Amino acid sequence: MTHSEGFANHPTPLEARSSGPLTGKVRVPGDKSISHRALILGALAVGETRVSGLLEGEDVLNTAKTMRALGAQVERTGDFAWSVRGVGVAGFAQPEVPLDFGNSGTGCRLVMGAVAGCPITAIFDGDASLRGRPMRRVLDPLALMGARVGASGEGGRLPLTLHGARDPLPILYRTPVPSAQIKSAVLLAGLAAPGVTTVIETEASRDHTELMLKHFGAQIVSTRDGSHGRKIALTGQPELHGAEVVVPADPSSAAFPIVAALIVEGSDIVLSDVMTNPLRTGLFTTLREMGASIEESQLRGDAGEPMAQLRVRASKLRGVEVPPERAPSMIDEYLVLAVAAGFAEGTTIMRGLHELRVKESDRLEATAAMLRVNGVKVEISGDDMMVEGKGHVPGGGLVATHMDHRIAMSALVMGLASDKPVRVDDTAFIATSFPDFIPMMRSLGAELS
């Protein structure tokens, strides 16, 4: 049985109601992007990598399983603490079973890159949602490096068989769209190639892979290219060494309690160790432009990633225009930003949201439907979304989540401050990224039942 069938057979609906002020101090789960990469680079390194603060959601646990299937020793040593003993660059073993990534596009695409540089064959698969997502953009550059796709679903979709390159070639590749997943797949394949593999992007995408490769001992240089772009050059065939990785709290997960505290009157919460990498904090920038009170303190860093404690207080928000070049730094956060926009005074315009159409669901349409069914006026024009804020949200709607964890959490956040309760058809998928979301929100005072 696939994950999605399991969820579909046992939907867990939930209702969020207007609650009193949210208060307290919490640490949201570890960052998903860093958790995936710590396991994959730990598996490609020599020696032991110790990871603390790992996100133990299903997506990351599936990456851990696939690293085991590829020959690395991966074990849980305590709460959110993991040990990985790697096999070295290009050292993956032929897996005896298909690699099942469940719902995780990130895990799947990054591991495609890592496998592409090894002389092995692996079958990549996932749940119904992941099987519907396009893989061609990642497979195209990997083919240039010598990897070959055998059998695959329609249009290069999962399940697919990937034959890694016996002698991978270094390439210079310009990404067709700003995508950390495409860039990371090319760089991970490039580890096994002699010479320098170069990725050029016209708009800088998240740089977690580059920062962590450096942390594990790779020679990698990132320079500006044009007004918003980057050129990343990786010297191939390094010996990566095991490293200590402290996973910061995920800003994409922090987005939900942050917006909840901003819209629920009288709220005052503190979130610890939240990643503040500027390529991930477009939401914080936007919310501050809308008038949000978000204060940073206790700044520190680990594995190249900065983190800080955030104090968030209820704020009167106003509509703003969010420029398209900010999209890569907050692509997962537009859903909950749309909720904040509903409670703001005036219209919020979000531009350049094409990538939302190829996520777990068509998130652009699903976000608009979530707002409309709860009385908020919203328009989509091309890749732009306009939300007309009236300072309050009527609520009273039933939200269809389309097996999408972020739609479910965004809708529940909306219900905490709307005039009438908001119901969500299924919350089972929240476990993929934020297993403790519901108990954590209740601990802050949220009314969820």
Side-chain angles (χ1 to χ4, degrees):
M1 181 174 72
T2 66
H3 302 266
S4 48
E5 283 164 352
F7 288 136
N9 292 342
H10 305 285
T12 47
L14 201 66
E15 183 176 273
R17 292 179 304 285
S18 180
S19 60
L22 304 178
T23 56
K25 180 176 180 177
V26 289
R27 188 189 199 276
V28 299
D31 182 76
K32 188 156 49 157
S33 300
I34 301 298
S35 296
H36 284 303
R37 287 163 174 79
L39 293 170
I40 294 166
L41 286 177
L44 290 170
V46 173
E48 185 185 19
T49 291
R50 302 179 76 86
V51 186
S52 58
L54 189 90
L55 170 64
E56 293 178 344
E58 289 173 34
D59 285 2
V60 174
L61 297 180
N62 282 327
T63 294
K65 278 185 206 150
T66 62
M67 292 303 101
R68 277 193 204 107
L70 291 163
Q73 291 175 30
V74 184
E75 58 177 324
R76 187 175 188 267
T77 55
D79 286 349
F80 317 110
W82 290 67
S83 162
V84 184
R85 289 190 180 276
V87 294
V89 168
F92 281 159
Q94 177 89 20
E96 292 172 10
V97 294
L99 305 178
D100 182 355
F101 292 88
N103 193 236
S104 178
T106 301
C108 181
R109 292 181 178 123
L110 266 56
V111 176
M112 280 179 176
V115 165
C118 302
I120 61 170
T121 296
I123 297 169
F124 286 73
D125 205 355
D127 67 9
S129 165
L130 191 60
R131 282 183 170 193
R133 294 171 72 180
M135 296 294 162
R136 181 61 59 206
R137 290 190 312 202
V138 171
L139 296 170
D140 285 347
L142 299 180
L144 297 174
M145 302 178 83
R148 202 165 48 78
V149 178
S152 74
E154 189 191 342
R157 287 177 162 78
L158 303 185
L160 67 79
T161 302
L162 184 65
H163 304 281
R166 197 155 290 284
D167 297 300
L169 304 166
I171 60 170
L172 185 152
Y173 191 72
R174 291 178 186 275
T175 57
V177 291
S179 164
Q181 293 179 357
I182 299 173
K183 171 177 66 177
S184 299
V186 173
L187 293 173
L188 290 171
L191 285 171
V196 177
T197 293
T198 306
V199 178
I200 296 174
E201 41 184 14
T202 50
E203 263 179 59
S205 65
R206 300 170 174 191
D207 61 354
H208 306 311
T209 300
E210 297 96 298
L211 292 171
M212 198 173 285
L213 277 165
K214 202 171 277 186
H215 186 63
F216 277 82
Q219 194 180 325
I220 185 164
V221 179
S222 178
T223 50
R224 284 184 74 92
D225 192 80
S227 50
H228 297 291
R230 308 291 299 173
K231 177 180 177 184
I232 302 106
L234 169 75
T235 303
Q237 301 182 332
E239 179 163 304
L240 302 182
H241 49 76
E244 301 276 329
V245 179
V246 177
V247 179
D250 185 349
S252 299
S253 295
F256 300 100
I258 286 172
V259 170
L262 291 172
I263 62 177
V264 175
E265 211 174 317
S267 297
D268 187 347
I269 67 168
V270 172
L271 303 170
S272 58
D273 297 337
V274 178
M275 180 200 288
T276 53
N277 181 317
L279 292 171
R280 289 290 299 283
T281 52
L283 177 73
F284 305 164
T285 303
T286 304
L287 290 172
R288 287 184 178 118
E289 287 171 1
M290 295 172 81
S293 171
I294 305 173
E295 293 170 15
E296 290 184 13
S297 62
Q298 299 182 22
L299 278 66
R300 61 197 187 91
D302 186 271
E305 297 289 353
M307 56 184 107
Q309 176 170 286
L310 303 181
R311 182 181 183 189
V312 186
R313 284 176 277 198
S315 306
K316 281 217 176 312
L317 304 177
R318 58 185 172 270
V320 295
E321 182 166 335
V322 191
E325 58 269 16
R326 201 176 285 168
S329 69
M330 57 181 294
I331 199 66
D332 287 330
E333 285 77 70
Y334 281 107
L335 294 77
V336 77
L337 174 62
V339 170
F343 286 92
E345 292 282 357
T347 302
T348 295
I349 302 171
M350 302 166 230
R351 299 201 182 277
L353 308 187
H354 170 72
E355 282 296 297
L356 286 183
R357 294 192 184 277
V358 293
K359 290 285 187 176
E360 280 81 339
S361 58
D362 180 339
R363 280 186 172 162
L364 203 49
E365 291 296 345
T367 302
M370 168 183 74
L371 295 172
R372 285 186 189 122
V373 78
N374 285 290
V376 179
K377 203 169 167 193
V378 57
E379 271 180 59
I380 294 174
S381 172
D383 294 332
D384 301 343
M385 180 161 61
M386 281 74 78
V387 178
E388 205 175 291
K390 301 278 194 216
H392 75 102
V393 169
L398 170 63
V399 175
T401 56
H402 307 284
M403 308 196 308
D404 191 322
H405 51 127
R406 296 193 197 279
I407 292 282
M409 290 186 280
S410 299
L412 292 172
V413 165
M414 179 162 48
L416 298 178
S418 54
D419 304 344
K420 291 184 188 151
V422 170
R423 285 175 302 136
V424 165
D425 66 353
D426 194 3
T427 56
F429 266 76
I430 290 173
T432 65
S433 69
F434 200 158
D436 292 328
F437 171 74
I438 292 161
M440 192 202 76
M441 292 304 295
R442 286 179 180 143
S443 78
L444 293 170
E447 296 276 344
L448 300 170
S449 62

